[in-house]
Amino acid sequence: VDTELQVLDMYTNKSLVNCKYETKIDLDIPPPARPAKSPKDVENTEQLFLTGLHLEQYRHATFVASDYYEEALRRDPLDARNNNALGLWYLRRGKFKKSEESFRKAIKTLVQRNPNPYDGEPYYNLGLCLKMQQRNDEAFDAFYKSTWNDAWQHSAFLNLARIATLRSDYTEALELIDKSLVKNYNSHTARHAKVFILRKLGQNEKALLVIEESLQLDPFNFGCLFEKYILLNSRNENEGLTVIKKLKKISREWEHNFIEYAFDYAHAGLYEDAIALLKVYSEGKDAVYAMVAYYLGWFAYQLNDTAASQAHYKKAALLSPDFVFPNRIEDVPVLQHAIQLNPSDAKAFYYLGNFWYDKRQYNDAIECWENAASLDNNFPTVYRNLSLAYYNKLNNPAKALEALEKAFSIDRSDARVLMELDQLYKKLNRPHEERLMLLEQYLPLVRSRDDLYLEMITLHNQLSNYKKAAELIATYTFHPWEGGEGKVVSQYMICCIELAKRSLINGEYANTLSLLHDAENYPVNLNEGKLLGAQENDIHYLRGVAYEYLNQREASQKSFLQATQGITEPVQAIFYNDPQPDKIFYQGLAWQKLGDQKKANEIFLRLISFGEEHYNDPISIDYFAVSLPDLLVFDSNLDTRNKIHCTYLQALGKLGLGKEYAIESEQLFDKVLQMDNNHQGAAIHKAMLNSPIIHFV
């Protein structure tokens, strides 16, 4: 029976809360999400457009929307929607010339039969693109064409009002901004624009009324608050001071709040007001956000004050680059102009390079960073960025290494750069002793980062210093981090299991069982629990061997039987929770112990067969991937990783088949370690070739 709870106003009998518990209805489970196909495999241009749009909306980490738009345009160069989408993709990345070409192609198609197209978006986007190039008359025409379409009227009339203000045609600007507000009454930006247009028309009282109305709608309209300050300050400084104090308080004096509204003025050509607003932010501060100084230089230049512009740019070049990461498309012309007026400014090149790299314009980024490095060879972050770009985008490990070593030589207190340098050494197969020696030189830095500290533990494990690794783990509290899933646990288990093997060989069976118990039960300081269904075939197998030596047959057989359980089919293990082949290998060893050689051989041959069949498979990151097993500072070649994995599978299979395959197994393990000397599985199992833990038949 349905039940209902209501809370009524005792005076008006109006329902204040209405909660109804409805009968449960069984619904069909919705279909699972489907991964995007590669562009060449998408059936039509419609789906290419929709896939690209989806990738942009959800900011997919590995798939690139432009690949889909470009494939659509390869098939149909005049496709309006894909041309518009590609143009917008370039516009957001500051590539105004490229975006203009695409928008004009889209418009050419749309107006073939109708001079006022159904969709005004390409005209609006073209207007933005032209405005960013300061081609305001052309932009005005494009914005006006977009107003034919209802969806774009608010934004288009706002930008038309800005251009009219820039032309000092305030009467037309007021008409246009009112049309914008008809479509979006609550718009912060449009209300702010109406106020400054009224002020320019000398209609101060009307402007104050609009301000009060706007602040009633939203007291955080910082643009209207600043306008209130301008209007009140002109007649009473104390009133103006009260308003500016309130503005500083509720804006938290966060630079980006001021920057956004400063550009609202700048887009309307009110550069004096933009400068005044940024000075409210910067006054009294010893150091300001560097981009603010660049914006002040840009605004001054627009007022034909070249001397002031140069002074601001020179000041900007001296400010700290910490936490400065340009991301607005307006930053492109600003920084390009700063470079033009002050060509010795390494920081401007650096910031512009950061913008280009973020927008996947890698060649532009590298060129900017190289210019920055040539101007200032004592700027470590530039060299660090170049290292990543050289390795990941130019496939040049030698230049990457030179740049990163230079970065660390400049600043040996940067733990992140030390971590990245060690990762690069790891990629380049540097000897473990050499890497460990480097980390031990900088122990305070190593202890400041979980990933670096874990790398030191890993190196001790790789050098068979298992007791030392166990001590380092026991005296440290780890913190979970994105991309580090399973890493701490893996090194902990290696310590326990390898120490258990030593105890087993030395006849210390009680200690063996204790260490295997520890391997199953993670200590609290790891701060990571066991995955549901985690396979522990190696632990069960070794426990079975220990019981076997203790002549506890029943316990031994039980442990061996446990070791045969779990997933038996090998896979391409890319992610940290994928079934690992060594667990399957121990299933085979357990079947041997249980006297079923046929099942054991089936498992070993399955490992070999999978490795041979899939050795040349092309590998790509799964569409839904959210975590990979390695730090992604430097890109990995997934095809190479697959070849290593498949070789390892074959080596394990040969190892399991017995002594007659031992030489082949050793050669395969050596091949793995030659490709990747950090492959712990290969090193550990190669050491088992002559181990009494494996009873060859």
Side-chain angles (χ1 to χ4, degrees), residues 378 380 405-415 417-418 445:
N378 202 37
E405 287 181 332
K406 172 76 172 176
F408 191 60
S409 71
I410 296 170
D411 182 4
R412 296 188 182 276
S413 67
D414 193 327
V417 174
L418 176 59
L445 292 184

Side-chain angles (χ1 to χ4, degrees), residues 539-678:
I539 295 173
H540 297 311
Y541 173 78
L542 293 170
R543 183 181 287 123
V545 174
Y547 283 132
E548 187 178 50
Y549 280 121
L550 289 167
N551 295 316
Q552 297 183 27
R553 179 173 173 76
E554 185 177 343
S556 174
Q557 295 292 296
K558 181 180 177 181
S559 293
F560 288 140
L561 192 59
Q562 283 181 293
T564 63
Q565 304 304 304
I567 297 169
T568 61
E569 292 293 331
V571 297
Q572 290 158 326
I574 301 297
F575 303 98
Y576 85 100
N577 57 343
D578 285 337
Q580 297 302 312
D582 53 325
K583 308 299 182 183
I584 301 172
F585 166 73
Y586 284 99
Q587 291 177 8
L589 294 183
W591 282 119
Q592 281 184 343
K593 288 290 190 180
L594 291 169
D596 195 332
Q597 190 62 43
K598 181 180 178 184
K599 284 187 178 179
N601 286 347
E602 285 176 359
I603 285 175
F604 299 139
L605 291 172
R606 195 179 300 140
L607 291 170
I608 295 168
S609 176
F610 186 96
E612 291 174 344
E613 290 176 14
H614 296 278
Y615 184 82
N616 290 311
D617 285 359
I619 306 297
S620 59
I621 296 175
D622 185 83
Y623 180 77
F624 297 111
V626 294
S627 181
L628 292 174
D630 289 321
L631 288 166
L632 287 180
V633 178
F634 298 99
D635 291 346
S636 292
N637 186 311
L638 295 182
D639 291 341
T640 300
R641 182 185 292 177
N642 176 63
K643 286 179 168 57
I644 292 170
H645 178 66
C646 288
T647 305
Y648 179 51
L649 285 169
Q650 295 174 63
L652 287 174
K654 302 279 187 180
L655 176 61
L657 288 176
K659 288 184 178 180
E660 60 186 289
Y661 293 95
I663 294 175
E664 290 180 57
S665 177
E666 184 174 17
Q667 289 173 341
L668 288 165
F669 282 131
D670 285 340
K671 183 178 178 182
V672 171
L673 292 168
Q674 185 178 3
M675 290 189 282
D676 179 9
N677 72 344
N678 299 289

Side-chain angles (χ1 to χ4, degrees), residues 207-217 228 232:
L208 285 168
L209 288 174
V210 175
I211 288 171
E212 293 309 314
E213 182 183 56
S214 300
L215 294 176
Q216 283 292 319
L217 290 170
K228 186 176 182 179
L232 294 182

